Every structure is written in structure tokens, then in C-alpha cells.
Amino acid sequence: MRMQVVALFLSSTALCTVAAPQALADSAPATAFAGCGGVPEDLDGGGWYATAGGAVNMRSGASTGCPVKGVTYQGQALDYHCFANPLADDDWNWTYARNVSTGFEGWIRNDLLSDHGSKVKCR
């Protein structure tokens, strides 16, 4: 009985070890900087822009699943860095921006920006 339990434990551990790297590979973001905590280069040399309406969350990554780092409000100037494709299954790209008034930086979904965000793709 003891040998069967040890063998069962070892076989189930081996299955987890083999399966885990594939699961991580499937969920890996297309670009590392767009993941939660990633910060891209400032590639957009354009001017300063304002958000659309109300309060807009600035997130640590290009997904609503990433933590909020700050908030920007209508009329506050934003310095765009670049845009990235979404990490999740939604139809919007995300722009990384710095709020000139508060200094907060983060990812904002393009549909929440009055001009739909940066036109320069992140590398």
C-alpha cells in the first residue's frame, strides 16, 4: 500500500511538472512590456492629449486584470509613449501614457481616450 501511494504521488507530481510550462507559455503576453508591471520606451514624439470623459484608470499592464496605478480625469494632459495590443480578448489596443498633472504613468484602453490613443506601436 505504501509503495502505491508513493508511486501515485510521484506520477501526479510529474504530470504537474510537465503541464505547467505549457500552461505558462499559452498565457504569456505577446509583448513583455504590456504585461502587468511592464514599462515601454517613450517612442511617441507627439504632443499632449486629454482623456475623454470622467475618471479613467491607468493600469500596470494592457489588461483590466492588471492593478490600477493611478487615475486621470477629463482635461488632464497625457504624454503618450506608445500603444500595444490587448493581453485579453477585447477589441481595443492600449496606450502607455504619463499624466502630466499627477506624474502617474500607466496603460489606458484606447477607447477611453478622446483621440483613441497613440499611433506609434511599442517595440
Side-chain angles (χ1 to χ4, degrees):
M1 174 75 171
R2 187 179 212 187
M3 292 290 276
Q4 290 174 331
V5 171
V6 171
L8 179 61
F9 174 77
L10 290 175
S11 66
S12 66
T13 303
L15 288 175
C16 291
T17 305
V18 171
Q22 182 60 42
L24 289 175
D26 291 342
S27 64
T31 50
F33 54 79
C36 298
V39 178
E41 293 179 68
D42 187 355
L43 300 174
D44 191 333
W48 306 78
Y49 305 92
T51 58
V56 176
N57 290 328
M58 302 178 82
R59 297 185 177 272
S60 69
S63 169
T64 55
C66 293
V68 175
K69 293 175 64 177
V71 177
T72 187
Y73 296 93
Q74 183 176 6
Q76 289 182 324
L78 296 172
D79 176 21
Y80 293 168
H81 289 203
C82 57
F83 80 90
N85 298 35
L87 297 179
D89 287 335
D90 68 30
D91 294 332
W92 295 99
N93 289 327
W94 292 68
T95 291
Y96 191 87
R98 180 177 60 87
N99 184 316
V100 178
S101 301
T102 65
F104 286 125
E105 293 186 8
W107 293 93
I108 303 171
R109 216 171 67 185
N110 284 0
D111 64 319
L112 301 175
L113 297 167
S114 58
D115 59 359
H116 301 290
S118 177
K119 308 301 183 241
V120 178
K121 186 158 176 90
C122 298
R123 298 186 251 187

